Amino acid sequence: MSVEQVLHFGGNGHAGVRLEAVRTALTRRGGPILVDIPYPGFEGRPAVGSLDEFLAAMADFSRTIRPRPVAAVASGIGAMIALGLRSRGELLEVPMIFQGPVLWGLEQRTFPKLMRPRLARRLLKWLITLPIVQARFTRKHLRRPIDRQTRDRFFAGYAECSAFSSFFDWFTPDLLRTLEAKFRESPRGLERVTIWNGGHDDVVGLDDVCATEHALGVAWPVVTFPKWGHYPTIDEPEEWAEALCHALDGP
């Protein structure tokens, strides 16, 4: 009997270490295999020159998954990538969970605006390599202590991400207008989406979801997990695995 598979779309600077604990938890539960989509330009992989090429590579990879995935989970800007594929007619049959998604809120959020100059991106990428910055980041955004090796691999995801800067060029208000037009023509791409919201997520809140629903004319179901921050696959791997298994057992 084939084991169920769930696609995972990570955020900017994503690294596989973020999923190791939940994969272990899912295995203990006899749950699905979590397939981390290998983004071009991440973890030392060769980059591509445009969003079209990036999405085409994602579409090609997703078609190789056998058996077909029973669901997809997208975190951060990964939700925008998943919607980009949906706008192209890809993965329409696959239910999607958006966890702490960065979507239409990027038009108003301060951080994406600050990152539009390339110099700011280069500075940020350098700052992320500093131990003092890494220590402050983990204290602020991770709800549980992590060991030094995990922390090093987490931040290596940013250091080895040659596509880090490109994301700020690709995911812009102009792209939002393009997606709005595509989904007006084919609203099926907005179906079967659920939001997972962390009650302690101090990176992305429900304001982003509200802005997205208003722009697209949708109302997605929202499930709030009171203990979760922005990185529950690291902070709460057992609860995250349980939530995923429960979601797959539901309608």
Side-chain angles (χ1 to χ4, degrees):
M1 181 177 179
S2 297
V3 177
E4 292 181 331
Q5 301 192 79
V6 173
L7 295 181
H8 180 267
F9 293 85
N12 201 353
H14 174 74
V17 67
R18 300 186 188 189
L19 301 181
E20 287 183 355
V22 294
R23 281 178 162 150
T24 300
L26 287 168
T27 298
R28 279 198 294 267
R29 292 175 174 274
I33 294 173
L34 203 55
V35 180
D36 202 14
I37 293 189
Y39 292 166
F42 281 60
E43 297 187 286
R45 290 183 288 271
V48 293
S50 70
L51 180 58
D52 280 344
E53 293 177 87
F54 186 92
L55 292 176
M58 299 298 90
D60 289 344
F61 177 82
S62 69
R63 294 189 202 111
T64 68
I65 303 301
R66 294 289 183 275
R68 293 295 291 159
V70 296
V73 179
S75 59
I77 200 68
M80 190 75 77
I81 296 169
L83 281 184
L85 290 175
R86 282 279 192 88
S87 76
R88 294 167 169 241
E90 303 287 344
L91 301 175
L92 295 177
E93 81 286 4
V94 177
M96 293 193 168
I97 296 167
F98 292 170
Q99 172 202 304
V102 175
L103 294 167
W104 267 246
L106 69 79
E107 193 162 18
Q108 303 299 328
R109 293 177 67 213
T110 300
F111 180 70
K113 293 178 181 178
L114 292 175
M115 290 297 105
R116 284 171 191 166
R118 289 180 177 270
L119 180 59
R121 303 172 209 169
R122 289 198 292 270
L123 176 62
L124 176 62
K125 200 169 180 185
W126 173 73
L127 286 172
I128 290 174
T129 67
L130 301 180
I132 189 171
V133 174
Q134 293 179 2
R136 185 178 185 280
F137 183 99
T138 53
R139 285 196 304 270
K140 180 176 175 59
H141 298 301
L142 294 177
R143 294 179 53 76
R144 296 179 186 271
I146 56 174
D147 61 75
R148 179 60 182 271
Q149 184 182 40
T150 300
R151 192 179 86 176
D152 288 348
R153 293 172 64 199
F154 178 94
F155 287 105
Y158 293 102
E160 297 171 2
C161 185
S162 59
F164 178 82
S165 179
S166 298
F167 270 37
F168 294 100
D169 290 327
W170 296 344
F171 299 106
T172 64
D174 287 343
L175 174 64
L176 302 183
R177 303 292 86 78
T178 298
L179 291 176
E180 288 165 9
K182 287 187 175 181
F183 287 127
R184 278 195 297 270
E185 294 177 3
S186 181
R188 186 186 169 199
L190 301 174
E191 296 174 357
R192 307 183 78 189
V193 173
T194 300
I195 305 297
W196 280 3
N197 171 60
H200 288 276
D201 190 337
D202 57 3
V203 177
V204 184
L206 286 177
D207 287 350
D208 199 305
V209 176
C210 292
T212 305
E213 291 181 329
H214 177 75
L216 298 177
V218 295
W220 289 325
V222 176
V223 182
T224 295
F225 297 87
K227 293 191 299 182
W228 289 10
H230 192 62
Y231 301 99
T233 57
I234 296 174
D235 293 328
E236 308 285 351
E238 294 291 341
E239 186 176 337
W240 194 96
E242 180 182 8
L244 180 61
C245 291
H246 178 73
L248 296 183
D249 286 340

